[in-house]
Short mmCIF file of all heavy atoms in Angstrom, two decimals:
data_model
loop_
_atom_site.label_atom_id
_atom_site.label_comp_id
_atom_site.label_asym_id
_atom_site.label_seq_id
_atom_site.Cartn_x
_atom_site.Cartn_y
_atom_site.Cartn_z
N GLY A 1 3.06 62.12 -182.65
CA GLY A 1 3.11 60.69 -182.91
C GLY A 1 4.09 60.35 -184.02
O GLY A 1 4.87 59.38 -183.92
N ALA A 2 4.09 61.15 -185.07
CA ALA A 2 5.00 60.91 -186.20
C ALA A 2 6.44 61.07 -185.76
O ALA A 2 7.31 60.26 -186.14
CB ALA A 2 4.66 61.87 -187.34
N GLU A 3 6.72 62.08 -184.96
CA GLU A 3 8.10 62.30 -184.53
C GLU A 3 8.60 61.14 -183.69
O GLU A 3 9.76 60.72 -183.81
CB GLU A 3 8.20 63.61 -183.73
CG GLU A 3 9.62 63.92 -183.30
CD GLU A 3 9.76 65.26 -182.58
OE1 GLU A 3 8.95 66.17 -182.84
OE2 GLU A 3 10.69 65.37 -181.76
N ARG A 4 7.74 60.58 -182.86
CA ARG A 4 8.20 59.47 -182.02
C ARG A 4 8.51 58.24 -182.87
O ARG A 4 9.45 57.50 -182.59
CB ARG A 4 7.16 59.14 -180.95
CG ARG A 4 7.77 58.28 -179.83
CD ARG A 4 7.00 58.27 -178.56
NE ARG A 4 7.88 57.81 -177.48
CZ ARG A 4 7.47 57.29 -176.33
NH1 ARG A 4 6.17 57.20 -176.08
NH2 ARG A 4 8.33 56.90 -175.42
N CYS A 5 7.75 58.04 -183.94
CA CYS A 5 8.05 56.93 -184.84
C CYS A 5 9.41 57.14 -185.52
O CYS A 5 10.22 56.22 -185.63
CB CYS A 5 6.96 56.82 -185.91
SG CYS A 5 5.37 56.27 -185.29
N LEU A 6 9.66 58.37 -185.96
CA LEU A 6 10.91 58.66 -186.66
C LEU A 6 12.11 58.51 -185.74
O LEU A 6 13.11 57.87 -186.10
CB LEU A 6 10.86 60.06 -187.26
CG LEU A 6 12.12 60.54 -187.98
CD1 LEU A 6 12.49 59.59 -189.11
CD2 LEU A 6 11.93 61.96 -188.50
N VAL A 7 12.04 59.08 -184.56
CA VAL A 7 13.18 59.00 -183.65
C VAL A 7 13.41 57.56 -183.20
O VAL A 7 14.54 57.13 -182.96
CB VAL A 7 12.99 59.96 -182.45
CG1 VAL A 7 12.00 59.42 -181.44
CG2 VAL A 7 14.33 60.23 -181.77
N SER A 8 12.35 56.76 -183.14
CA SER A 8 12.49 55.34 -182.79
C SER A 8 13.23 54.59 -183.90
O SER A 8 14.10 53.76 -183.62
CB SER A 8 11.12 54.71 -182.56
OG SER A 8 10.45 55.32 -181.47
N ALA A 9 12.90 54.89 -185.16
CA ALA A 9 13.59 54.24 -186.28
C ALA A 9 15.07 54.60 -186.28
O ALA A 9 15.94 53.74 -186.50
CB ALA A 9 12.93 54.65 -187.59
N ILE A 10 15.38 55.87 -186.01
CA ILE A 10 16.78 56.29 -185.97
C ILE A 10 17.51 55.62 -184.82
O ILE A 10 18.64 55.15 -184.95
CB ILE A 10 16.86 57.82 -185.86
CG1 ILE A 10 16.27 58.48 -187.11
CG2 ILE A 10 18.30 58.28 -185.64
CD1 ILE A 10 16.07 59.98 -187.01
N GLU A 11 16.85 55.52 -183.67
CA GLU A 11 17.43 54.88 -182.49
C GLU A 11 17.73 53.41 -182.74
O GLU A 11 18.70 52.86 -182.22
CB GLU A 11 16.48 55.03 -181.30
CG GLU A 11 16.99 54.47 -179.99
CD GLU A 11 18.13 55.28 -179.39
OE1 GLU A 11 18.34 56.43 -179.82
OE2 GLU A 11 18.81 54.76 -178.49
N LEU A 12 16.92 52.76 -183.56
CA LEU A 12 17.13 51.35 -183.88
C LEU A 12 18.34 51.14 -184.79
O LEU A 12 18.74 49.99 -185.03
CB LEU A 12 15.89 50.77 -184.56
CG LEU A 12 14.69 50.45 -183.67
CD1 LEU A 12 13.49 50.04 -184.51
CD2 LEU A 12 15.05 49.34 -182.68
N GLY A 13 18.91 52.23 -185.31
CA GLY A 13 20.07 52.10 -186.19
C GLY A 13 19.71 51.75 -187.61
O GLY A 13 20.51 51.15 -188.34
N VAL A 14 18.50 52.15 -188.02
CA VAL A 14 18.06 51.88 -189.39
C VAL A 14 19.00 52.57 -190.38
O VAL A 14 19.49 53.67 -190.13
CB VAL A 14 16.60 52.37 -189.58
CG1 VAL A 14 16.19 52.30 -191.03
CG2 VAL A 14 15.67 51.54 -188.71
N GLU A 15 19.25 51.93 -191.53
CA GLU A 15 20.16 52.47 -192.54
C GLU A 15 19.68 53.85 -193.00
O GLU A 15 18.49 54.13 -193.07
CB GLU A 15 20.22 51.53 -193.74
CG GLU A 15 20.89 50.20 -193.46
CD GLU A 15 22.39 50.35 -193.24
OE1 GLU A 15 22.98 51.30 -193.80
OE2 GLU A 15 22.97 49.52 -192.52
N ARG A 16 20.65 54.69 -193.35
CA ARG A 16 20.34 56.05 -193.76
C ARG A 16 19.38 56.09 -194.95
O ARG A 16 18.47 56.92 -195.01
CB ARG A 16 21.64 56.80 -194.12
CG ARG A 16 22.58 56.97 -192.94
CD ARG A 16 23.90 57.57 -193.39
NE ARG A 16 24.86 57.65 -192.28
CZ ARG A 16 26.09 58.13 -192.38
NH1 ARG A 16 26.52 58.58 -193.57
NH2 ARG A 16 26.89 58.16 -191.33
N GLN A 17 19.61 55.20 -195.92
CA GLN A 17 18.75 55.18 -197.10
C GLN A 17 17.31 54.85 -196.72
O GLN A 17 16.36 55.40 -197.29
CB GLN A 17 19.26 54.17 -198.13
CG GLN A 17 20.33 54.73 -199.06
CD GLN A 17 20.47 53.88 -200.31
OE1 GLN A 17 20.39 52.66 -200.25
NE2 GLN A 17 20.65 54.52 -201.45
N GLN A 18 17.15 53.95 -195.76
CA GLN A 18 15.80 53.59 -195.34
C GLN A 18 15.12 54.74 -194.62
O GLN A 18 13.91 54.97 -194.80
CB GLN A 18 15.86 52.36 -194.42
CG GLN A 18 16.29 51.09 -195.13
CD GLN A 18 16.44 49.93 -194.14
OE1 GLN A 18 17.31 49.95 -193.27
NE2 GLN A 18 15.59 48.94 -194.28
N ILE A 19 15.89 55.49 -193.83
CA ILE A 19 15.32 56.66 -193.18
C ILE A 19 14.91 57.69 -194.22
O ILE A 19 13.82 58.28 -194.15
CB ILE A 19 16.33 57.28 -192.19
CG1 ILE A 19 16.60 56.32 -191.03
CG2 ILE A 19 15.85 58.63 -191.69
CD1 ILE A 19 15.41 56.07 -190.13
N ALA A 20 15.78 57.91 -195.21
CA ALA A 20 15.45 58.86 -196.28
C ALA A 20 14.19 58.43 -197.02
O ALA A 20 13.32 59.26 -197.33
CB ALA A 20 16.63 58.99 -197.24
N GLN A 21 14.08 57.15 -197.30
CA GLN A 21 12.89 56.65 -198.01
C GLN A 21 11.63 56.86 -197.18
O GLN A 21 10.57 57.21 -197.70
CB GLN A 21 13.08 55.17 -198.34
CG GLN A 21 11.91 54.58 -199.11
CD GLN A 21 12.26 53.23 -199.72
OE1 GLN A 21 13.19 53.15 -200.53
NE2 GLN A 21 11.54 52.20 -199.33
N MET A 22 11.74 56.66 -195.89
CA MET A 22 10.61 56.86 -194.97
C MET A 22 10.13 58.32 -195.05
O MET A 22 8.91 58.60 -195.11
CB MET A 22 11.06 56.51 -193.56
CG MET A 22 10.04 56.64 -192.46
SD MET A 22 10.79 56.00 -190.91
CE MET A 22 9.52 56.42 -189.72
N LEU A 23 11.08 59.25 -195.07
CA LEU A 23 10.73 60.67 -195.14
C LEU A 23 10.14 61.02 -196.49
O LEU A 23 9.12 61.72 -196.58
CB LEU A 23 11.97 61.52 -194.87
CG LEU A 23 12.61 61.38 -193.50
CD1 LEU A 23 13.93 62.15 -193.45
CD2 LEU A 23 11.68 61.87 -192.40
N PHE A 24 10.78 60.56 -197.55
CA PHE A 24 10.31 60.90 -198.89
C PHE A 24 8.94 60.32 -199.18
O PHE A 24 8.15 60.90 -199.92
CB PHE A 24 11.31 60.44 -199.94
CG PHE A 24 12.56 61.29 -200.03
CD1 PHE A 24 13.81 60.69 -200.11
CD2 PHE A 24 12.48 62.67 -200.05
CE1 PHE A 24 14.96 61.47 -200.20
CE2 PHE A 24 13.62 63.45 -200.14
CZ PHE A 24 14.86 62.85 -200.22
N ALA A 25 8.66 59.16 -198.60
CA ALA A 25 7.33 58.57 -198.78
C ALA A 25 6.26 59.48 -198.19
O ALA A 25 5.24 59.78 -198.82
CB ALA A 25 7.27 57.18 -198.14
N ALA A 26 6.50 59.92 -196.97
CA ALA A 26 5.51 60.78 -196.30
C ALA A 26 5.34 62.11 -197.00
O ALA A 26 4.22 62.64 -197.09
CB ALA A 26 5.92 61.00 -194.85
N VAL A 27 6.44 62.65 -197.52
CA VAL A 27 6.38 63.99 -198.09
C VAL A 27 5.81 63.99 -199.51
O VAL A 27 5.51 65.06 -200.06
CB VAL A 27 7.79 64.64 -198.04
CG1 VAL A 27 8.64 64.27 -199.23
CG2 VAL A 27 7.69 66.14 -197.88
N THR A 28 5.63 62.80 -200.11
CA THR A 28 5.00 62.73 -201.43
C THR A 28 3.66 61.99 -201.39
O THR A 28 3.08 61.70 -202.43
CB THR A 28 5.93 62.05 -202.46
OG1 THR A 28 6.38 60.78 -201.95
CG2 THR A 28 7.12 62.93 -202.77
N ASP A 29 3.17 61.70 -200.18
CA ASP A 29 1.82 61.13 -200.07
C ASP A 29 0.77 62.16 -200.47
O ASP A 29 -0.36 61.81 -200.83
CB ASP A 29 1.55 60.66 -198.63
CG ASP A 29 2.13 59.29 -198.35
OD1 ASP A 29 2.40 58.53 -199.31
OD2 ASP A 29 2.32 58.96 -197.16
N HIS A 30 1.14 63.43 -200.39
CA HIS A 30 0.24 64.51 -200.81
C HIS A 30 0.97 65.36 -201.84
O HIS A 30 2.19 65.30 -201.98
CB HIS A 30 -0.20 65.35 -199.61
CG HIS A 30 -1.10 64.60 -198.68
ND1 HIS A 30 -2.44 64.43 -198.91
CD2 HIS A 30 -0.82 63.94 -197.52
CE1 HIS A 30 -2.98 63.72 -197.93
NE2 HIS A 30 -2.01 63.40 -197.06
N ARG A 31 0.19 66.15 -202.56
CA ARG A 31 0.72 66.85 -203.71
C ARG A 31 1.39 68.16 -203.35
O ARG A 31 0.80 69.02 -202.69
CB ARG A 31 -0.40 67.12 -204.74
CG ARG A 31 -1.31 65.91 -205.04
CD ARG A 31 -0.68 64.95 -206.05
NE ARG A 31 0.60 64.40 -205.68
CZ ARG A 31 0.78 63.37 -204.81
NH1 ARG A 31 -0.26 62.81 -204.22
NH2 ARG A 31 1.99 62.93 -204.54
N TYR A 32 2.64 68.29 -203.75
CA TYR A 32 3.39 69.55 -203.80
C TYR A 32 3.23 70.34 -202.50
O TYR A 32 2.79 71.48 -202.49
CB TYR A 32 2.89 70.36 -204.99
CG TYR A 32 3.81 71.47 -205.46
CD1 TYR A 32 5.17 71.24 -205.64
CD2 TYR A 32 3.30 72.72 -205.76
CE1 TYR A 32 6.00 72.26 -206.10
CE2 TYR A 32 4.12 73.75 -206.22
CZ TYR A 32 5.47 73.51 -206.39
OH TYR A 32 6.28 74.52 -206.85
N LEU A 33 3.61 69.70 -201.39
CA LEU A 33 3.39 70.28 -200.07
C LEU A 33 4.07 71.64 -199.94
O LEU A 33 5.25 71.80 -200.24
CB LEU A 33 3.94 69.35 -198.98
CG LEU A 33 3.24 67.99 -198.83
CD1 LEU A 33 3.87 67.20 -197.69
CD2 LEU A 33 1.75 68.14 -198.62
N ASP A 34 3.31 72.60 -199.46
CA ASP A 34 3.80 73.97 -199.23
C ASP A 34 4.58 74.52 -200.42
O ASP A 34 5.66 75.11 -200.26
CB ASP A 34 4.67 74.04 -197.96
CG ASP A 34 3.84 74.36 -196.72
OD1 ASP A 34 2.66 74.73 -196.86
OD2 ASP A 34 4.38 74.25 -195.61
N GLY A 35 4.02 74.33 -201.60
CA GLY A 35 4.66 74.88 -202.79
C GLY A 35 6.04 74.33 -203.04
O GLY A 35 6.90 75.00 -203.64
N GLY A 36 6.28 73.09 -202.62
CA GLY A 36 7.56 72.44 -202.86
C GLY A 36 8.57 72.58 -201.73
O GLY A 36 9.58 71.88 -201.70
#
C-alpha cells in the first residue's frame, strides 16, 4: 500500500523536495530504524 502511494506521488510530478520530505517523514516517525 505504501509503495503504491509513493509511485502515485511520483507519477503526479510532485517536486523532488516534496518527495524527499514524504520519505523523511515516514523514516523518522519511529526511532532510529534498523540502527540508522
Side-chain angles (χ1 to χ4, degrees):
E3 182 177 333
R4 196 161 199 202
C5 291
L6 178 58
V7 76
S8 298
I10 296 170
E11 183 71 15
L12 283 173
V14 171
E15 292 290 332
R16 296 174 184 180
Q17 275 199 321
Q18 292 175 294
I19 294 295
Q21 181 166 300
M22 181 174 173
L23 297 173
F24 285 135
V27 85
T28 53
D29 278 339
H30 292 280
R31 313 279 59 79
Y32 199 47
L33 295 182
D34 269 350

